[in-house]
Amino acid sequence: MPHEERAFHAQTAEEVLEDQGVRPEQGLPEEEVARRREQYGANILRKAEQRGLWAILLDQFKSIVVILLGAAAVLAFAFAQWSEGIAILAVIVINSGIGFISEWRARRSMEALQKMARQQVRVRRQGKDRTVEAEDLVPGDIIIQESGDIVAADLRLIEANNLQVSEAALTGESVPVNKQLEPVEADVPLGERRNMLFKGTTVAEGSSEAVVVATGMQTEIGRISELVEQAEEKATPLEKRLDDLGRRLAWITIGIAIVVAGMGLLAGQPTLLMIETAIALGVAAIPEGLPIVATIALARGMWLMAQREALINQLNAVETLGATHIICTDKTGTLTENRMSLQRVATPAADYKLDDESRQDIGPLLRRAVEIGVLCTNASLDEDNEGHGDPTEVALLMGGKKLGMTHQQLLEEMPEVREVPFDSEVMMMATFHELEDGLEVAVKGAPSAVLEVCESIATEDNTERPLSKEDRQEWRERTENLASEGLRLLAVADKRVDGTDAEPYQGLRFVGLVGLLDPPREGVKKSIKACQSAGIRVIMITGDQPDTAKAIARQVGLITDEGLNVLHGRDLDAPEKLSEEDRQRILKTEVFARVNPEQKLHLVQIFQDHGDTVAMTGDGVNDTPALKKADIGIAMGKRGTDAARQIADMVLKDDAFSSIVAAVEQGRTIFSNIRKAVIFMLCTNVAEILAVALASVANAPLPLLPLQILYLNVLTDVFPALSLGVGKGGTQVMQKPPRAPDESVLTRSHWMLIGGWSFVISACVLTALTLALLWLDFEQTKAVTISFLTLGFSKLWFVFNLRDPGTTLLDNDVVRNPWVWMSLALCIVLLVLAVYLPGLSDLLQTEPLEVPAWSLVLGLSLIPMLIGQAIRFYQRHSAK
């Protein structure tokens, strides 16, 4: 029977042992171990198929732009246009090389999971305890675990001594879990299976014996590994949009080439000339510099984010964040510090809220309650205030230090003479301390357990009175109220005794409750507010308890008392099984609690099916399937596991949620910049198409030759486009809602803009050619040089038309961009060299020009910019 159908946690230990066919005092015989290893295989996780270098290289040639360039190169070689063919191939090699280098990296997420199996464990076989490799374990093996051990397989407990296990990496639970032997309900969430130990978790305290019930891929972590493999990585929004743009350009190119070639042949044009014209049109239609611009713009975004403590594993990850509608975030270690802190102390005298300024005057009962918590502990603080031991006890020590009492100081005043360790059966621990006039017992534990064994209650002057039935009920209600705020509560009590052999849990005096909380990270509330202002929903998905999740959500501003909407993991189901009502309820929920790894994956799928671009943050192994499935996965660098860091698209080195906000802003700026670069390139490219097509139809000389077009597109296009791609962007980028998921790089209005500007630029180019031929009476080569330079300089001046609406001529994002000015200077030099540099001018078939010709070039090339500035001036003043 498959592991997921076996509810071992719902069976007694005896039933599980019988089911596995093993006696705990003997363990399995060696021949049975060999048989089961043959049946179940090694206790290892399946290795992920690694993507080779050749596969990465092949991906670089799947771009529509590259395919179109390749077709143009083949056509050029077929008709012996060797210079054009070689030049086009050079462009393909440059583009593909840049893409290959940027994508070549080792993302081996499953190797991190594999490392968990490389360990040794104590196992009992044939009546003897021995140490074996973890991968040799089989179902039915009897395992002996102690504090500090990493659990090597999924186990059902058969014996436990004060056992606490850290399951944060698997369930998101921020504190170690107390384990028990008794069966639990079959349908309880993973985090509530208290009689189970899971592969990859860590024994924090105590010892145990357990029977292996699942190994390898049948373990819970193995199931997560399968989810990671099955999770489909979606193409990023930018990839989708650039592919869509490439397909449009392909159809435009093919259509125009067929129409123009057909009309030319019908008009009696030579076949070879029409082939040359088709190549020219193909080259003109393709924005050869687009992949380079997009790659470098994104690479610069990676560099900028690295300065903000965020490492980007995927180039497109920053842009994807800019398109994000929903950020699904874990609670522990992401919104919170992953560090318990003493927050509240409730005594019969008063309730106290503690903060970092807790050294103010304190009453005797507050001091006594914290004193008991500090005394009754096995944890410690070193000189650097680093805690060692149970996080709850460390938090009590830190709280005591803020109130002016240290563990060492108290032990000097009241030496410890006996300890009664924490017992999961009674849910309490006690320590005996020597005083000048006798012995004192300090007790802490679960509130219900401590209240049950108390006979008196402390009074304001630190004496006592009998604990009445009404008192018990009142403190039970106070416990429930404080727990609803997400606090982890412990009750503290004390009494005087005559000797160390006294029963610790009888006749106690109830002193109060101490409340601990994993506090929100600094700056999280501000970051969430910034996300909300930008139209981004922040959703908490955690394995913690609903009350804890709700309390943190309130503190960070995720939800309000009026808008509480928290769903328990048991209310979630696979997307295909949800009713429309349940789906709508999920889509409106801000906090999900007690969620297991598969449910996290389902939630990402549900939001994506709704049309949202989803970012997922996480730090545990349990987060890896959802990190991979999300449009962008974000792992924590400090607290994150290797598995989470390697599967993620982005790693936050400082674990700061605020870095996500900075990435969102950077992503939006990058998309806006790339959009401007695309508009720039297409305006000039379509102008080339129009100029060549109209000249061909009119049976006039081509205003641009294929190599001239390639020179303009690869050099004088790329550098200004690059400068636009790396600009700082506008100041209002985070005041706008996210783009619609189906919004293209270019919308209908952008295409209309491109059409209009292309017509203006092509008209200037054709006018320059006509005047050169008819007015200046130049021969064809010199006239084509004039039209070539007119287009080249028109491209350069046109960049100023791409400033944001509402800005002024001398104060805008384009003028303030130093890269724009450097690119213009470089491109002017390149255009001059194209005419005057021997060899290059021969290849491009250009000739030197005199002053009248240069006047014609500069005069006509300025017209598009002057029209654009007039339009921007009108837009700015009409908006007032």
Side-chain angles (χ1 to χ4, degrees):
M1 187 181 293
H3 170 54
E4 59 267 23
E5 299 178 13
R6 306 290 293 276
F8 296 109
H9 53 278
Q11 302 176 13
T12 64
E14 291 75 16
E15 290 172 336
V16 174
L17 289 167
E18 183 179 353
D19 180 77
Q20 296 294 329
V22 63
R23 289 187 299 161
E25 67 277 7
Q26 287 295 317
L28 294 173
E30 289 296 342
E31 58 270 19
E32 180 62 17
V33 171
R35 189 189 70 78
R36 295 192 184 192
R37 187 176 299 114
E38 181 72 21
Q39 177 182 356
Y40 296 104
N43 179 32
I44 58 176
L45 301 179
R46 185 165 54 242
K47 291 185 178 180
E49 183 179 349
Q50 298 187 359
R51 190 160 164 255
L53 295 180
W54 286 110
I56 297 174
L57 182 61
L58 182 63
D59 282 348
Q60 310 311 313
F61 297 94
K62 294 180 180 179
S63 163
I64 288 289
V65 171
V66 173
I67 292 171
L68 287 176
L69 283 173
V74 169
L75 197 59
F77 286 128
F79 289 91
Q81 304 294 311
W82 305 111
S83 297
E84 287 88 343
I86 293 172
I88 294 171
L89 281 181
V91 172
I92 293 174
V93 170
I94 292 171
N95 277 342
S96 302
I98 291 175
F100 176 78
I101 291 171
S102 65
E103 290 294 329
W104 183 57
R105 55 186 169 74
R107 289 181 60 239
R108 303 291 180 247
S109 61
M110 300 311 297
E111 290 182 1
L113 297 175
Q114 292 285 339
K115 291 178 182 177
M116 292 185 174
R118 297 170 188 166
Q119 61 185 99
Q120 293 186 324
V121 295
R122 284 180 61 200
V123 62
R124 183 172 299 141
R125 290 175 180 169
Q126 296 187 164
K128 296 181 179 179
D129 291 356
R130 63 188 68 179
T131 300
V132 301
E133 295 292 329
E135 66 180 48
D136 291 334
L137 293 177
V138 297
D141 265 329
I142 303 299
I143 302 297
I144 298 93
Q145 299 272 182
E146 295 180 350
S147 177
D149 288 348
I150 297 176
V151 180
D154 282 4
L155 315 174
R156 171 58 164 94
L157 286 170
I158 57 177
E159 182 180 318
N161 300 306
N162 304 317
L163 186 64
Q164 292 186 317
V165 178
S166 175
E167 297 182 343
L170 188 64
T171 67
E173 189 84 41
S174 56
V175 295
V177 177
N178 293 314
K179 292 296 183 175
Q180 64 183 42
L181 298 182
E182 292 74 18
V184 295
E185 294 294 328
D187 59 351
V188 299
L190 189 69
E192 295 179 11
R193 298 174 189 176
R194 303 296 191 186
N195 52 23
M196 298 287 295
L197 303 183
F198 299 107
K199 182 177 174 67
T201 60
T202 305
V203 178
E205 277 193 32
S207 60
S208 69
E209 288 189 10
V211 58
V212 175
V213 294
T215 58
M217 296 301 291
Q218 293 299 308
T219 62
E220 290 297 331
I221 201 171
R223 296 182 64 221
I224 293 174
S225 173
E226 285 188 323
L227 291 174
V228 172
E229 293 176 358
Q230 296 166 6
E232 178 186 354
E233 285 190 281
K234 299 182 68 175
T236 66
L238 184 62
E239 290 173 320
K240 298 174 189 174
R241 288 157 177 77
L242 291 180
D243 285 345
D244 180 62
L245 177 60
R247 283 190 293 270
R248 291 192 183 195
L249 291 174
W251 286 112
I252 291 172
T253 302
I254 293 169
I256 291 177
I258 292 174
V259 170
V260 171
M263 293 179 66
L265 290 173
L266 289 174
Q269 295 278 13
T271 301
L272 188 59
L273 177 62
M274 286 299 94
I275 295 298
E276 184 178 345
T277 302
I279 294 174
L281 287 171
V283 173
I286 303 168
E288 292 86 353
L290 180 56
I292 297 175
V293 170
T295 299
I296 293 181
L298 292 170
R300 185 170 185 271
M302 289 178 65
W303 179 81
L304 290 174
M305 286 313 304
Q307 309 306 303
R308 296 292 303 271
E309 302 298 315
L311 300 179
I312 307 298
N313 290 334
Q314 289 273 16
L315 273 182
N316 289 316
V318 176
E319 184 279 332
T320 308
L321 265 177
T324 296
H325 296 80
I326 291 176
I327 298 176
C328 296
T329 175
D330 194 17
K331 176 189 73 69
T332 305
T334 308
L335 297 180
T336 68
E337 295 280 1
N338 196 20
R339 172 184 58 81
M340 298 299 289
S341 171
L342 181 60
Q343 300 281 314
R344 297 280 289 277
V345 178
T347 70
D351 280 6
Y352 299 89
K353 290 186 178 181
L354 304 183
D355 54 31
D356 290 336
E357 307 298 328
S358 297
R359 287 183 176 272
Q360 65 265 24
D361 292 337
I362 57 176
L365 281 192
L366 170 59
R367 178 177 180 83
R368 183 55 186 155
V370 176
E371 190 176 74
I372 293 171
V374 173
L375 285 170
C376 193
T377 181
N378 284 311
S380 62
L381 294 176
D382 60 23
E383 294 180 355
D384 298 323
N385 279 336
E386 289 292 326
H388 304 278
D390 182 274
T392 301
E393 295 188 342
V394 171
L396 289 171
L397 294 180
M398 291 294 295
K401 191 168 185 179
K402 290 176 184 177
L403 291 171
M405 61 186 87
T406 67
H407 190 215
Q408 185 63 35
Q409 171 193 339
L410 291 178
L411 287 181
E412 289 175 1
E413 299 173 2
M414 297 173 279
E416 181 180 312
V417 293
R418 179 191 173 192
E419 176 187 325
V420 183
F422 178 84
D423 188 336
S424 59
E425 296 292 330
V426 298
M427 301 299 289
M428 291 179 284
M429 80 167 285
T431 52
F432 287 64
H433 298 271
E434 186 177 0
L435 303 178
E436 291 182 0
D437 55 350
L439 293 175
E440 181 179 75
V441 181
V443 174
K444 77 174 193 306
S448 58
V450 173
L451 270 171
E452 188 67 28
V453 295
C454 286
E455 293 181 357
S456 62
I457 185 171
T459 58
E460 291 188 24
D461 59 357
N462 202 19
T463 57
E464 62 184 290
R465 63 175 175 80
L467 182 66
S468 66
K469 183 178 179 181
E470 291 75 17
D471 290 329
R472 294 182 192 277
Q473 183 59 32
E474 176 190 346
W475 281 96
R476 290 191 185 102
E477 291 175 359
R478 291 177 76 173
T479 300
E480 291 178 3
N481 291 336
L482 290 172
S484 69
E485 298 179 20
L487 293 168
R488 178 179 175 85
L489 293 170
L490 294 172
V492 289
D494 62 7
K495 69 175 181 177
R496 291 294 186 95
V497 295
D498 295 328
T500 56
D501 57 348
E503 168 57 46
Y505 305 131
Q506 289 180 0
L508 292 169
R509 179 185 72 152
F510 183 80
V511 178
L513 300 171
V514 292
L516 304 107
L517 189 69
D518 184 6
R521 290 178 61 88
E522 185 179 355
V524 162
K525 188 170 185 177
K526 181 180 178 182
S527 298
I528 288 178
K529 186 176 181 180
C531 287
Q532 293 167 341
S533 298
I536 300 170
R537 288 182 66 199
V538 180
I539 292 173
M540 180 195 296
I541 302 177
T542 179
D544 227 323
Q545 296 288 351
D547 285 340
T548 303
K550 194 184 301 181
I552 293 295
R554 281 199 199 99
Q555 291 181 41
V556 300
L558 202 55
I559 58 176
T560 62
D561 289 332
E562 294 76 24
L564 286 180
N565 198 6
V566 180
L567 271 183
H568 195 285
R570 61 171 172 261
D571 299 323
L572 300 176
D573 212 334
E576 63 273 10
K577 296 181 181 179
L578 290 172
S579 66
E580 185 57 31
E581 181 181 352
D582 289 337
R583 187 178 293 271
Q584 291 303 316
R585 186 160 58 114
I586 289 171
L587 291 172
K588 295 176 182 177
T589 297
E590 311 297 334
V591 179
F592 298 87
R594 303 306 279 170
V595 175
N596 66 37
E598 193 167 4
Q599 290 169 335
K600 290 187 178 186
L601 188 62
H602 290 161
L603 285 171
V604 172
Q605 180 68 59
I606 289 167
F607 289 123
Q608 287 178 335
D609 290 345
H610 185 249
D612 294 313
T613 301
V614 181
M616 169 73 184
T617 72
D619 56 3
V621 175
N622 60 321
D623 296 322
T624 52
L627 286 175
K628 182 179 180 182
K629 177 64 178 174
D631 295 283
I632 175 168
I634 308 167
M636 302 297 114
K638 288 183 177 179
R639 296 182 173 89
T641 58
D642 285 342
R645 286 195 294 268
Q646 293 190 30
I647 202 71
D649 301 296
M650 185 169 88
V651 179
L652 304 181
K653 291 196 296 183
D654 57 359
D655 290 7
F657 194 84
S658 58
S659 294
I660 300 175
V661 181
V664 169
E665 183 174 4
Q666 187 65 42
R668 291 187 175 191
T669 297
I670 284 176
F671 187 85
S672 175
N673 289 345
I674 290 177
R675 174 174 276 172
K676 287 180 181 179
V678 170
I679 292 174
F680 170 78
M681 286 187 285
L682 288 188
C683 280
T684 54
N685 284 25
V686 174
E688 294 166 353
I689 295 173
L690 287 176
V692 171
L694 291 174
S696 178
V697 171
N699 200 20
L702 294 181
L704 300 160
L705 302 179
L707 279 181
Q708 291 175 351
I709 293 173
L710 204 58
Y711 186 82
L712 292 176
N713 288 3
V714 174
L715 296 176
T716 59
D717 256 12
V718 168
F719 292 113
L722 270 177
S723 68
L724 291 172
V726 299
K728 291 185 178 180
T731 57
Q732 301 298 315
V733 67
M734 288 298 285
Q735 303 304 316
K736 301 174 183 177
R739 300 186 306 276
D742 57 351
E743 182 176 314
S744 302
V745 175
L746 301 177
T747 63
R748 183 186 298 271
S749 62
H750 293 127
W751 281 108
M752 294 176 63
L753 187 70
I754 289 169
W757 283 119
S758 299
F759 177 80
V760 172
I761 295 172
S762 64
C764 292
V765 171
L766 290 174
T767 300
L769 178 66
T770 303
L771 292 176
L773 289 170
L774 302 179
W775 177 46
L776 297 177
D777 198 26
F778 287 159
E779 47 85 23
Q780 183 172 321
T781 302
K782 183 169 285 191
V784 170
T785 301
I786 288 177
S787 57
F788 162 71
L789 290 174
T790 300
L791 178 60
F793 281 100
S794 293
K795 287 173 178 261
L796 301 187
W797 315 142
F798 180 72
V799 73
F800 294 106
N801 289 351
L802 295 172
R803 61 185 173 93
D804 291 332
T807 58
T808 64
L809 175 63
L810 300 178
D811 185 18
N812 57 73
D813 55 312
V814 176
V815 170
R816 289 194 301 266
N817 186 345
W819 298 104
V820 166
W821 296 103
M822 286 189 279
S823 68
L824 293 183
L826 176 61
C827 289
I828 289 171
V829 172
L830 291 172
L831 287 174
V832 172
L833 290 177
V835 176
Y836 293 104
L837 182 65
L840 181 60
S841 62
D842 296 334
L843 182 65
L844 296 177
Q845 299 180 46
T846 59
E847 291 186 3
L849 301 181
E850 296 78 23
V851 173
W854 275 109
S855 300
L856 181 62
V857 168
L858 295 176
L860 286 170
S861 67
L862 283 168
I863 290 176
M865 187 197 75
L866 295 175
I867 294 174
Q869 297 308 309
I871 292 173
R872 282 286 186 258
F873 180 82
Y874 172 78
Q875 289 175 333
R876 182 167 179 265
H877 286 275
S878 62
K880 291 183 177 179

